[in-house]
Amino acid sequence: DVKVTQSSRYLVKRTGEKVFLECVQDMDHENMFWYRQDPGLGLRLIYFSYDVKMKEKGDIPEGYSVSREKKERFSLILESASTNQTSMYLCASSSVVLAKNIQYFGAGTRLSVL
Amino acid sequence: GDSVTQMEGPVTLSEEAFLTINCTYTATGYPSLFWYVQYPGEGLQLLLKATKADDKGSNKGFEATYRKETTSFHLEKGSVQVSDSAVYFCALGNTGNQFYFGTGTSLTVIP
């Protein structure tokens, strides 16, 4: 089974802190994604990556950056956390060749910024 | 651009009732269609999928048929259980590796 692991289930941070959310997948998928999920808004794509060291902006990249130094790991960075970034963050991976483009999700990180 | 529109919730049903959650899509080309389920406190899990017109995806008693003529992929289950209580997301995956999700429909099944 595909496993996508997010490093934390719950995080509490203060305004202005730099926050790292880590995501690791174990199936050699080339594509990785970061979404945030908010009530009534569904999933919104923040950033995605098609390969190591590659990144593309999604629909709401402002206030976020990402890093993909290794194929299995995709990090989301909040350079200076703000209260409006309090949300559920979901990481996903996919592969057109290995997984018929199905997205596999981690369990999510619920971030609270105080 | 590509998009997915799904029925707004919340939906509350009694156990053993029939479930339909509507989903329509807009896409260029020939997308794949998916239903994902999210149980409380968890990430999204793939429930079923269909990759071409007239395909029927099915899993755990849920079904959805890819209807190109009506651009729809409605989720159905003949008899829901309390354990089906969750949020359901319709999604579209296009040939450009991009995914588009609906806003989710919350389902509560009461005994």
Side-chain angles (χ1 to χ4, degrees):
Chain A
D1 279 355
V2 176
K3 189 154 183 161
V4 180
T5 303
Q6 295 185 230
S7 53
S8 305
R9 292 297 301 272
Y10 301 95
L11 274 179
V12 179
K13 297 292 181 181
R14 296 202 177 276
T15 302
E17 279 192 77
K18 190 169 186 175
V19 181
F20 292 86
L21 303 183
E22 305 286 347
C23 176
V24 177
Q25 50 95 5
D26 67 354
M27 284 302 292
D28 203 35
H29 286 177
E30 66 272 18
N31 306 319
M32 295 189 75
F33 306 81
W34 275 106
Y35 296 91
R36 64 177 282 177
Q37 182 181 13
D38 300 288
L41 297 177
L43 274 70
R44 292 181 292 169
L45 182 63
I46 304 171
Y47 268 97
F48 58 101
S49 169
Y50 290 151
D51 202 349
V52 176
K53 296 192 187 296
M54 292 182 66
K55 60 185 178 184
E56 298 283 343
K57 292 180 179 179
D59 300 319
I60 51 163
E62 296 78 19
Y64 304 94
S65 61
V66 291
S67 172
R68 192 157 180 212
E69 295 297 317
K70 295 184 178 181
K71 190 174 187 179
E72 67 269 20
R73 186 180 296 271
F74 193 36
S75 303
L76 180 69
I77 303 155
L78 288 65
E79 294 288 342
S80 177
S82 63
T83 55
N84 63 12
Q85 292 179 309
T86 292
S87 186
M88 169 74 106
Y89 290 87
L90 293 168
C91 175
S93 73
S94 73
S95 172
V96 174
V97 174
L98 299 175
K100 300 181 181 178
N101 210 21
I102 296 168
Q103 291 210 350
Y104 292 87
F105 283 83
T109 297
R110 188 165 292 282
L111 172 67
S112 296
V113 182
L114 307 178
Chain B
D2 295 357
S3 66
V4 172
T5 302
Q6 72 179 93
M7 173 177 138
E8 290 195 18
V11 174
T12 303
L13 295 173
S14 297
E15 206 165 23
E16 299 183 4
F18 185 86
L19 168 72
T20 300
I21 301 177
N22 290 339
C23 172
T24 57
Y25 69 91
T26 301
T28 54
Y30 303 96
S32 296
L33 300 174
F34 306 86
W35 277 101
Y36 282 82
V37 59
Q38 185 180 34
Y39 298 104
E42 298 184 13
L44 275 69
Q45 303 173 25
L46 179 67
L47 181 60
L48 53 84
K49 65 177 173 62
T51 57
K52 61 182 187 299
D54 300 325
D55 266 3
K56 177 186 280 189
S58 61
N59 186 23
K60 299 181 182 179
F62 291 89
E63 292 183 340
T65 302
Y66 189 149
R67 302 275 188 210
K68 194 167 190 294
E69 63 276 12
T70 54
T71 62
S72 65
F73 193 55
H74 304 322
L75 182 69
E76 296 182 337
K77 187 175 185 182
S79 175
V80 293
Q81 305 301 312
V82 171
S83 57
D84 293 327
S85 298
V87 180
Y88 293 82
F89 291 89
C90 185
L92 173 158
N94 67 19
T95 51
N97 276 341
Q98 292 175 310
F99 251 62
Y100 298 88
F101 287 88
T103 52
T105 302
S106 175
L107 170 66
T108 301
V109 180
I110 55 177

